[in-house]
Amino acid sequence: MQEYLDMIVSLLPGLWLSILMATVSILIGIPLGFVAGLILNGSNKALRWLTIALVEIFRGFPALLTLYLVYFGLAEIITLDRFAAVVAAFGVTTAAYTAEIFRASIASVPRGQVEAAQALALTKKQITSRVVLPHVLNIAVPPVIGIAIITFQGTALAYAIGAKELLGSAYSIGMINFRVLEPLLVAALLYLLFTSLLAWMEILADRRVARISGTSFDGGAGAARRRQRRQRKTGFDASVLNTPASKITQ
Amino acid sequence: MTTTPEGTLALSAQQIRKSFGGKEILHGISVDVKKGEHIAIIGPSGSGKSTFIRCLNLLETPDHGTIDLHGERVFDAVEKTPAKSVRALRKRVGMVFQSFNLFATHTALENVSLAQRLVLERSKTDAVDRSEELLERVGLKKHMHKHPSQLSGGQQQRVAIARSLALDPEVILFDEPTSAIDPEMRVEVLRVMKELAEGGMTMMTVTHEIEFAKEAADRAMFLADGELLEIGPAAEILTDPSNERIRRFVNALSGVI
Amino acid sequence: MLEASYVLEGLWITLQMWGGAFLLSVVLAIPVAMLRGSKNPLAKFIGALWAWIARGIPPIAWLIIIYFGLSLGIISEVPVLAAMVGLGIVNSAYIGDSIRSGLESVSNGQWEGAASVALTKKDALFRVVLPQAIPVMLASTAAYSITLLKNTAIASIIGANEMVFYAYNAVQVGADPITAFLTIGIVYLLLTVPVGMFARWLGSRAKRGSERVVY
């Protein structure tokens, strides 16, 4: 038992590095992805095609290939340490994945929401910041957490360029003791726990979306089911017909 | 201020024309709405009713025509209307939509407060106080912290009415306010509207509810194919239409074959 | 210099791993989907546990565990086989999901309709529900298979001689890294872009189909 606790403790710096790599990659990727989503909804054709090409490229490349391209390729031009290479590679990968989410979220803002804001004499800027943005942020959160899971797990690939993140440190600890399996399994357990934590956040966020907008990214199927259930439960409230006007309108 | 023998003119739209993609939908429609008057706009689908009412708060920009509010020219198609003037007009002319269009990410209270804070620049407490008062008036104070998805269609539309009232508009436009609501829930919305009309609010309502129009509207205007076919006292026009086309339409809506 | 013959040889291994892992994942996914859809809580739990573990551990960690950590005979000795097994396990969780969501996309009314004309449960499944569910399953399966294809690149780390492996080795002995890795990247795009288009086409077709049925 003590042996495994020691193992976990010796893996903690690796876990910390994995978390750090994932966090920085996501912090780079989300703003880039958001801007790409704006461009994909925009009217500038040249910019849009350029963005489509970049998104397709970095979604089509295996993340490992992007990492090699950055780590070995850019090394010819600028000096880049492992950490910088990892966050640059996974930053653009994350951006490419989230771009589509943000594009769809921005496109999904119903026209009526904007019209209602216009009818209330809000300025263009107010409409963007107070009506469109909350809508986009609300529905984009769950799928973006889904991408964060992919990014977090993806940081294990940094092992391939010799980074001492969680997988890398598990492997080297195993090499010292000539017992590879145990530290690898402990590392796998840590990945599993951390992934589950993120997946749980995704579920909570998705519930929140369903509660607020009555729709969610599962194509509305979940929301439709919830609506049906709600309708079955409440049924038709006939009492309203008998309520005197003064009661309803007070 | 323009006065007519019967009273002050709240809204006057003259010769409103609108085309989409080269096809003219409105062929020059004019109407004078007196202060405190409620006009029902009736007509078959595709007659241009919705386009007309959307022109009145410039959600659609008319290609031709003018709009006056209390004698003041607020829109003239021959000049470009700056965004600021468009907003000034919309502040004075409220709009209630067929599909409610409540802000999905905001609670009922926030929906009613938002424009008070941003457009009227009211303080938070003032905006909340006023919003609560309005939500109470439409019978929804106890639901004020709910999101639109948690409310029925009829409740959402009453929040939308409160939201529109929050800017203290001079006129409110209703674009088929009950068409997207289950029949049994319509009554609560119509009741709120009737009370508003009786309270002296100037209103224009696109509707298919003939009985409601007869009872709650002062005048009715009948549009067909982008033309104003007839305008007159609602009860008269809708009870015993002299125009054959209007009679057929009203009968069809009332289920008379 | 990265020789064209190596790229082709690597491509052949990539395609073998893709196909092998895909078949394995389907074989694993069907029982997983059945377990998860079962009414028995224990079966449900086992199905969910499998999906949770398969998905919760990064594919590279699976490969390293199978290849370096475990002794599974030939599987732990041949990198290509280890990769197929590891990637097959991971992908089985996703394919299991697409089977489940495909079945759930068919409305309950279809089961009830089948029951109302006295079809057996088996007939209802095979004659009514599956024909509607399969287009939906295919669309998401095609989308997941793109991820699977890209994940085969990971096998190079344990020494499977697929495309990235050859590019990496060429770079180690002096080939220009940008040219070498971009060449491989283009081959991946030539595979992923058409499969992506195919998946979207399947998706839009499935959607049309289900709309026709529901409304």
Side-chain angles (χ1 to χ4, degrees):
Chain A
M1 194 65 220
Q2 185 59 39
E3 198 188 341
Y4 283 94
L5 281 180
D6 289 346
M7 212 180 274
I8 290 178
V9 170
S10 54
L11 284 175
L12 283 182
L15 176 64
W16 171 239
L17 184 58
S18 291
I19 293 172
L20 202 63
M21 282 172 168
T23 310
V24 177
S25 304
I26 290 162
L27 288 180
I28 293 172
I30 287 180
L32 283 178
F34 188 77
V35 171
L38 283 175
I39 293 172
L40 291 173
N41 274 294
S43 49
N44 188 326
K45 263 203 166 134
L47 213 53
R48 213 171 66 208
W49 278 108
L50 179 72
T51 309
I52 289 174
L54 285 173
V55 167
E56 283 298 326
I57 287 172
F58 287 108
R59 285 204 319 177
F61 277 22
L64 180 67
L65 194 69
T66 309
L67 179 61
Y68 284 163
L69 203 52
V70 172
Y71 185 63
F72 296 112
L74 287 189
E76 313 261 288
I77 308 160
I78 46 165
T79 43
L80 211 60
D81 67 3
R82 286 199 185 93
F83 186 85
V86 168
V87 297
F90 294 149
V92 278
T93 310
T94 307
Y97 284 130
T98 50
E100 173 57 20
I101 293 169
F102 286 121
R103 184 204 62 75
S105 307
I106 295 167
S108 78
V109 177
R111 222 179 106 83
Q113 299 270 302
V114 175
E115 279 189 354
Q118 286 175 335
L120 288 170
L122 266 60
T123 63
K124 227 177 153 172
K125 230 168 102 188
Q126 288 170 335
I127 295 174
T128 306
S129 66
R130 305 303 288 266
V131 177
V132 175
L133 200 64
H135 185 94
V136 170
L137 291 182
N138 178 43
I139 66 169
V141 166
V144 166
I145 298 177
I147 300 301
I149 294 176
I150 294 174
T151 306
F152 171 68
Q153 290 202 349
T155 59
L157 294 173
Y159 156 83
I161 57 167
K164 287 281 175 292
E165 40 64 69
L166 184 50
L167 186 65
S169 34
Y171 187 75
S172 42
I173 289 170
M175 275 314 180
I176 295 167
N177 304 326
F178 297 105
R179 276 171 58 196
V180 196
L181 186 60
E182 281 100 336
L184 282 178
L185 287 183
V186 173
L189 189 70
L190 289 173
Y191 277 116
L192 190 57
L193 290 178
F194 215 79
T195 302
S196 307
L197 181 73
L198 288 170
W200 177 67
M201 282 166 59
E202 187 184 356
I203 291 170
L204 288 188
D206 195 50
R207 278 198 201 136
R208 192 177 154 271
V209 172
R211 202 178 59 237
I212 289 178
S213 44
T215 55
S216 77
F217 239 89
D218 57 8
R225 260 202 311 280
R226 277 186 287 274
R227 255 199 309 280
Q228 271 177 8
R229 219 174 301 145
R230 212 166 41 230
Q231 256 171 28
R232 265 203 303 277
K233 223 158 55 189
T234 49
F236 158 54
D237 186 7
S239 65
V240 70
L241 287 178
N242 306 325
T243 315
S246 57
K247 265 278 174 50
I248 291 182
T249 55
Q250 297 198 351
Chain B
M1 214 171 259
T2 325
T3 45
T4 61
E6 303 92 46
T8 322
L9 270 189
L11 183 147
S12 169
Q14 298 301 321
Q15 288 303 314
I16 301 294
R17 288 173 184 271
K18 179 70 187 172
S19 303
F20 290 111
K23 191 172 181 283
E24 194 170 83
I25 304 294
L26 296 175
H27 308 303
I29 296 191
S30 306
V31 66
D32 286 329
V33 189
K34 288 180 279 273
K35 191 168 186 299
E37 195 180 27
H38 181 195
I39 295 192
I41 307 174
I42 314 278
S45 56
S47 59
K49 314 178 297 278
S50 279
T51 306
F52 178 60
I53 209 164
R54 286 163 62 86
C55 279
L56 297 182
N57 75 342
L58 303 182
L59 277 180
E60 309 290 354
T61 312
D63 301 328
H64 179 270
T66 57
I67 301 172
D68 293 354
L69 276 179
H70 284 108
E72 180 193 336
R73 178 68 35 103
V74 288
F75 173 81
D76 191 335
V78 296
E79 300 160 28
K80 169 133 181 50
T81 316
K84 215 173 151 186
S85 312
V86 173
R87 285 201 307 278
L89 161 78
R90 287 173 178 162
K91 211 164 109 182
R92 297 168 68 184
V93 180
M95 177 89 165
V96 173
F97 298 87
Q98 178 176 357
S99 48
F100 331 132
N101 297 349
L102 290 183
F103 304 127
T105 47
H106 296 57
T107 63
L109 184 69
E110 288 162 356
N111 263 281
V112 184
S113 316
L114 187 71
Q116 294 181 58
R117 303 269 288 128
L118 296 179
V119 178
L120 301 183
E121 294 175 345
R122 273 189 192 145
S123 74
K124 193 169 177 196
T125 27
D126 287 354
V128 169
D129 285 350
R130 174 79 174 130
S131 303
E132 287 187 13
E133 185 189 314
L134 287 166
L135 284 168
E136 182 153 15
R137 194 157 137 201
V138 298
L140 289 171
K141 191 166 176 226
K142 65 171 188 251
H143 296 302
M144 66 184 186
H145 293 301
K146 287 190 179 164
H147 281 95
S149 63
Q150 297 165 297
L151 300 171
S152 74
Q155 290 170 330
Q156 288 190 55
Q157 194 62 296
R158 284 186 283 154
V159 174
I161 293 172
R163 177 173 75 174
S164 177
L165 284 171
L167 289 182
D168 303 315
E170 295 158 29
V171 182
I172 301 188
L173 311 171
F174 294 83
D175 186 5
E176 298 198 30
T178 55
S179 299
I181 303 173
D182 292 338
E184 68 273 14
M185 304 292 185
R186 286 179 188 165
V187 57
E188 28 181 305
V189 174
L190 295 175
R191 233 171 233 150
V192 169
M193 289 176 63
K194 193 164 171 243
E195 285 202 356
L196 267 182
E198 283 164 356
M201 176 57 81
T202 312
M203 294 160 61
M204 295 187 81
T205 306
V206 174
T207 186
H208 291 296
E209 310 266 354
I210 299 294
E211 287 308 312
F212 168 74
K214 268 194 251 179
E215 204 181 312
D218 303 300
R219 284 193 291 163
M221 57 193 285
F222 191 93
L223 297 193
D225 304 323
E227 310 255 15
L228 176 60
L229 222 60
E230 196 164 342
I231 181 163
E236 219 168 89
I237 286 192
L238 299 171
T239 310
D240 188 18
S242 53
N243 185 304
E244 174 60 23
R245 187 139 184 214
I246 302 177
R247 200 176 67 233
R248 261 187 293 147
F249 180 76
V250 169
N251 283 348
L253 277 192
S254 325
V256 181
I257 300 167
Chain C
M1 214 8 225
L2 174 62
E3 307 262 346
S5 61
Y6 283 141
V7 176
L8 281 179
E9 205 178 316
L11 174 63
W12 175 232
I13 301 290
T14 296
L15 293 175
Q16 280 180 13
M17 284 195 293
W18 189 20
F22 180 76
L23 287 180
L24 178 67
S25 67
V26 173
V27 170
L28 290 171
I30 292 171
V32 171
M34 279 164 64
L35 284 171
R36 297 194 71 179
S38 149
K39 290 212 169 69
N40 182 332
L42 181 68
K44 234 185 167 84
F45 175 76
I46 294 171
L49 188 69
W50 174 275
W52 178 58
I53 293 175
R55 219 193 310 244
I57 297 171
I60 168 72
W62 272 111
L63 265 55
I64 304 251
I65 289 171
I66 291 170
Y67 188 68
F68 292 117
L70 297 172
S71 315
L72 299 172
I74 190 165
I75 291 173
S76 299
E77 281 155 24
V78 181
V80 172
L81 287 181
M84 278 186 196
V85 172
L87 297 177
I89 290 172
V90 173
N91 203 46
S92 73
Y94 293 100
I95 304 291
D97 267 4
S98 57
I99 293 176
R100 245 159 48 105
S101 62
L103 285 174
E104 279 176 10
S105 75
V106 180
S107 77
N108 227 356
Q110 297 292 309
W111 286 101
E112 287 172 2
S116 76
V117 291
L119 261 57
T120 62
K121 213 158 175 212
K122 202 179 111 201
D123 278 343
L125 176 65
F126 283 100
R127 309 298 287 271
V128 177
V129 174
L130 274 184
Q132 299 175 48
I134 282 175
V136 181
M137 292 178 195
L138 281 182
S140 53
T141 302
Y144 287 134
S145 71
I146 297 174
T147 309
L148 177 62
L149 168 65
K150 291 190 294 171
N151 276 345
T152 59
I154 297 167
S156 67
I157 299 173
I158 57 169
N161 53 334
E162 47 70 79
M163 291 191 287
V164 179
F165 178 85
Y166 284 118
Y168 184 88
N169 284 358
V171 168
Q172 295 302 317
V173 295
D176 173 47
I178 295 186
T179 323
F181 290 127
L182 272 186
T183 307
I184 302 298
I186 289 165
V187 179
Y188 273 106
L189 289 183
L190 289 176
L191 294 169
T192 55
V193 171
V195 177
M197 278 157 59
F198 179 61
R200 276 195 287 274
W201 177 75
L202 281 175
S204 62
R205 229 178 53 130
K207 212 168 160 189
R208 265 213 315 279
S210 68
E211 268 164 15
R212 203 172 51 230
V213 171
V214 174
Y215 299 109

